[in-house]
Amino acid sequence: MTHDLPLPLYKKLTVTFRVEPGCLGPDGIEHIEGFCKFAKKEVARLDSDFVRWVITPRYDKTLLETEYKTNNKRLDHDKAEKYLRVFGKELDDFEEHLQDKLSLLIDQYLGR
């Protein structure tokens, strides 16, 4: 299957990642908004031909940490996995890479 990359925005996989304020330490609530803006800029180029990133605070713990959508429709784990496979990616590796990148960005943001 061939794709003309980059994909139009509505065909891209929108990955919403919600960051818990506690990830930024005991006063994380004071830094979470700024960190999310910083992280969004830093990850914007990752797989940008077919992924649109949304990095946002996770104030509501009932919301999933990571959520996938395309064409404004939510994808469950299996559908997100199938979507990424088209581009030669495995969902578990994709998520692990994002987690690793965010850990590095937290350290960078906090000046560690």
Side-chain angles (χ1 to χ4, degrees), residues 7-15 50-52 67-76 79-80 83 87:
L7 293 176
L9 197 55
Y10 75 94
K11 285 187 178 181
K12 287 186 178 188
L13 182 67
T14 299
V15 179
F50 58 92
V51 175
R52 178 179 166 261
E67 190 174 78
Y68 301 96
K69 287 184 182 177
T70 188
N71 204 11
N72 252 350
K73 292 186 181 114
R74 198 156 150 218
L75 302 182
D76 63 22
K79 287 183 180 150
Y83 183 100
F87 299 97

Side-chain angles (χ1 to χ4, degrees), residues 39-112:
K40 166 99 171 84
K41 281 185 206 155
E42 293 296 314
V43 300
R45 290 181 302 283
L46 291 179
D47 298 318
S48 64
D49 286 343
F50 58 92
V51 175
R52 178 179 166 261
W53 297 98
V54 177
I55 310 289
T56 188
R58 187 179 187 196
Y59 297 124
D60 182 349
K61 295 203 189 244
T62 63
L63 296 174
L64 295 172
E65 183 177 53
T66 309
E67 190 174 78
Y68 301 96
K69 287 184 182 177
T70 188
N71 204 11
N72 252 350
K73 292 186 181 114
R74 198 156 150 218
L75 302 182
D76 63 22
H77 190 270
D78 290 343
K79 287 183 180 150
E81 200 161 48
K82 285 177 186 164
Y83 183 100
L84 286 169
R85 261 197 217 122
V86 170
F87 299 97
K89 304 278 184 182
E90 291 295 324
L91 185 59
D92 290 342
D93 295 339
F94 182 83
E95 288 180 344
E96 188 176 321
H97 184 250
L98 176 60
Q99 291 277 0
D100 291 346
K101 179 72 173 167
L102 285 171
S103 291
L104 293 170
L105 290 174
I106 288 169
D107 289 345
Q108 190 179 338
Y109 186 79
L110 295 176
R112 293 185 186 153

